[in-house]
Amino acid sequence: MTSIRVAAPLVLLLLSGCVVGPDHTAPRISLPTKFAEGSKASNGDVAMNAWWTAFGDRRLNGYLEQGLSQNLDVLQALERINQAQASVVSAGAGSLPSLDLGSQAERSGSKDIGGNAGALAASTPQTSVSGGLSASWFLDLFGLYRRSKEAALANLDAAYANVDIARLTLLSQVASAYIDVRYYQERIAIAQQNLGSRRETLNLTKLQLEAGAASRLDVVQSEGLVNSTLADIPALETQFRQAAHRIATLLGLPASSLVSELQKRSGGQPVARFNPKSGIPADLIRNRPDIRAAERALAAAVAQVGVAEAQLYPAITLGGSITPSYTKSGAAEAGLLSWSFGPSLSLPIFDGGALRANLSSSESAAREAYLAWKETVLNGVEEVENALAAVARDGRTVSALRATVKSYQEALQLATASYRDGASSLLDVLDAQRQVSTAQANLAQAVQQMAQDYISLNVAVGGGYAVGKTVAPTKVALVVKN
């Protein structure tokens, strides 16, 4: 008998170390050793790389710094960390002993108030006091709560990664909106410049009409081009304001807060002065927070498989209670102390297949989470490849369009001079003006696109989200098969 008493606690101790369900391992994926248009050099950790400084725009730098500290999406993501931390505590609490204390007191009696004591008898006042102390402890023999806490910890890691996602998204949105602001300002400036040129042509045509060297048709055509330019400007001003409103909202400010400030141009369209580096595909596993979040979601799903499997096994709970009570009625007093202690066993025998179905569902959810992680990785690779392809060609487009603008401007000067001398028609001047206007608009759009592609590449490689961050990003070691 003594040996059994000694062996029983040892058996329970051994069982307490048993955790059912699969253990999470680093997911694997085959990736190329380099991007198609990239190098074989690794980027390392680019989380602290302030890539936007390549634009040399202090106002943009200030907006991004301000946004990282007060963007509402980032602040909401930070609050979800607090929620995830509370969930970790809640998930692990079930495996710890619980202790509850309760008490109550009561005084009762009756008194004759009708003068007819025979009808209703009065009673002596009675005082009763009782209390209770109850304790219970769920023996987590198969890791039900340990797997639950494991899942909660993985979700906490994912919450930290989601903050990084919010910060990276903010960088992309603010920088892109700022590029749009400067683009529309450039388009407005071009339109106003062209408007001045076309008004000069209109005035010249009117003089030619008075001299008999031009027709009324020429004047009307010139007026039409002036009015067409005037019609373009309001739409550009609207788009400028919409982009400015977007920046303000991203910074947690009322929409019109930055319009007057952004109307003050500090230079031309932003152009990045540094060559971006793509790194290698394996860098994305470490640097992109959305991939880390997907991996942590996979870890949580795998842990939930263990939770579902643990529910198939017996559950043992140790419980006990102590209940003292005291009663006094007149001169009589009585006290009682009652107690109880013992284990309770719950064993699922027949549940219509619900527990097995829950396990099957959890296993399927884990497989889905792996596929989601794999898809996130491949989407990241695609985004970098697309951005690299664009960045590699944007410079050539811009150079060609600069030459185009220069050629058309020279053609306009020649056509205007020839028209003044009466050697050519007004139609040649108007066509040259349209060509200059179109080429200038195309150039401004190409410069805008070059800046946007630079932003897209740096965001795609996961750069810059940890700049100014007080909490270090969560790092997850994953396995990549090249």
Side-chain angles (χ1 to χ4, degrees):
M1 179 64 82
T2 303
S3 61
I4 295 178
R5 290 175 180 173
V6 174
L10 293 177
V11 171
L12 290 176
L13 182 62
L14 290 173
L15 285 175
S16 66
C18 178
V19 179
V20 298
D23 292 326
H24 175 66
T25 57
R28 297 174 177 268
I29 187 171
S30 296
L31 293 175
T33 57
K34 63 182 289 293
F35 294 107
E37 299 188 47
S39 67
K40 293 184 178 181
S42 171
N43 263 350
D45 188 352
V46 297
M48 295 293 294
N49 179 25
W51 46 264
W52 53 89
T53 58
F55 290 112
D57 193 312
R58 292 183 179 179
R59 186 169 293 172
L60 173 60
N61 297 344
Y63 287 155
L64 290 174
E65 181 180 350
Q66 186 177 355
L68 288 173
S69 63
Q70 63 189 45
N71 175 258
L72 298 180
D73 287 338
V74 174
L75 295 178
Q76 290 178 64
L78 287 170
E79 288 299 329
R80 286 191 284 272
I81 289 179
N82 295 332
Q83 298 166 26
Q85 289 174 333
S87 296
V88 172
V89 177
S90 177
S95 63
L96 301 176
S98 64
L99 185 65
D100 297 318
L101 175 64
S103 64
Q104 66 179 25
E106 183 182 76
R107 183 168 176 79
S108 62
S110 61
K111 183 179 181 182
D112 178 16
I113 59 173
N116 187 1
L120 294 173
S123 64
T124 302
Q126 177 177 299
T127 301
S128 300
V129 179
S130 63
L133 185 66
S134 61
S136 64
W137 184 16
F138 178 85
L139 300 181
D140 196 13
L141 303 180
F142 301 100
L144 174 66
Y145 287 105
R146 275 169 287 175
R147 289 299 192 191
S148 295
K149 187 172 183 179
E150 183 181 322
L153 286 171
N155 287 328
L156 176 59
D157 289 339
Y160 277 101
N162 286 331
V163 172
D164 296 337
I165 293 173
R167 291 171 65 89
L168 189 60
T169 302
L170 169 75
L171 295 175
S172 173
Q173 292 176 339
V174 172
S176 296
Y178 188 82
I179 296 300
D180 289 343
V181 163
R182 296 310 181 202
Y183 163 69
Y184 291 121
Q185 283 183 316
E186 181 70 15
R187 287 291 308 274
I188 292 170
I190 291 171
Q192 291 173 340
Q193 179 183 350
N194 290 333
L195 179 61
S197 175
R198 289 168 182 179
R199 278 176 171 164
E200 289 179 2
T201 302
L202 175 59
N203 293 333
L204 175 61
T205 305
K206 288 180 178 179
L207 292 175
Q208 296 278 44
L209 177 63
E210 293 175 358
S215 66
R216 177 61 184 168
L217 177 61
D218 293 335
V219 174
V220 172
Q221 288 177 329
S222 184
E223 286 177 343
L225 199 56
V226 169
N227 291 327
S228 175
T229 306
L230 285 171
D232 291 338
I233 293 176
L236 294 172
E237 291 175 341
T238 298
Q239 291 169 313
F240 160 77
R241 286 181 173 270
Q242 289 174 343
H245 295 165
R246 183 58 185 153
I247 294 175
T249 301
L250 289 169
L251 269 55
L253 301 172
S256 60
S257 301
L258 303 176
V259 172
S260 59
E261 180 179 318
L262 286 168
Q263 283 175 334
K264 303 172 184 177
R265 295 188 67 185
S266 56
Q269 290 181 264
V271 177
R273 302 301 178 186
F274 303 147
N275 293 325
K277 298 179 180 179
S278 64
I280 58 176
D283 289 337
L284 301 183
I285 304 287
R286 173 182 59 249
N287 291 329
R288 283 189 56 133
D290 58 335
I291 295 177
R292 293 205 313 274
E295 190 277 337
R296 291 290 82 199
L298 170 60
V302 171
Q304 288 296 340
V305 174
V307 173
E309 186 172 346
Q311 292 173 342
L312 299 174
Y313 295 92
I316 300 176
T317 303
L318 299 179
S321 64
I322 300 175
T323 308
S325 61
Y326 169 80
T327 303
K328 180 178 181 182
S329 179
E333 293 182 301
L336 180 66
L337 178 66
S338 58
W339 59 272
S340 66
F341 173 78
S344 63
L345 174 66
S346 174
L347 178 62
I349 297 177
F350 180 74
D351 60 359
L355 294 178
R356 287 288 178 183
N358 184 44
L359 175 59
S360 177
S361 176
S362 298
E363 291 171 341
S364 178
R367 292 191 294 270
E368 180 187 2
Y370 167 72
L371 296 174
W373 173 82
K374 186 176 181 179
E375 182 181 27
T376 304
V377 174
L378 294 179
N379 285 341
V381 173
E382 180 188 3
E383 290 174 7
V384 175
E385 294 280 21
N386 291 341
L388 271 175
V391 167
R393 292 160 178 80
D394 285 337
R396 288 152 47 191
T397 302
V398 170
S399 296
L401 286 173
R402 289 190 194 280
T404 302
V405 169
K406 185 177 180 181
S407 297
Y408 282 145
Q409 285 175 335
E410 183 177 356
L412 176 59
Q413 292 173 355
L414 294 173
T416 302
S418 179
Y419 177 63
R420 288 179 185 274
D421 296 336
S424 63
S425 67
L426 175 65
L427 185 60
D428 294 332
V429 177
L430 298 182
D431 285 342
Q433 287 179 335
R434 291 191 189 96
Q435 290 171 339
V436 169
S437 177
T438 301
Q440 288 175 328
N442 289 340
L443 174 59
Q445 187 174 18
V447 173
Q448 175 205 28
Q449 189 60 52
M450 182 169 62
Q452 296 286 16
D453 290 336
Y454 175 83
I455 294 171
S456 297
L457 178 57
N458 283 280
V459 171
V461 300
Y465 64 83
V467 173
K469 190 177 180 183
T470 56
V471 180
T474 304
K475 295 296 182 184
V476 181
L478 300 179
V479 178
V480 180
K481 295 174 66 179
N482 291 323

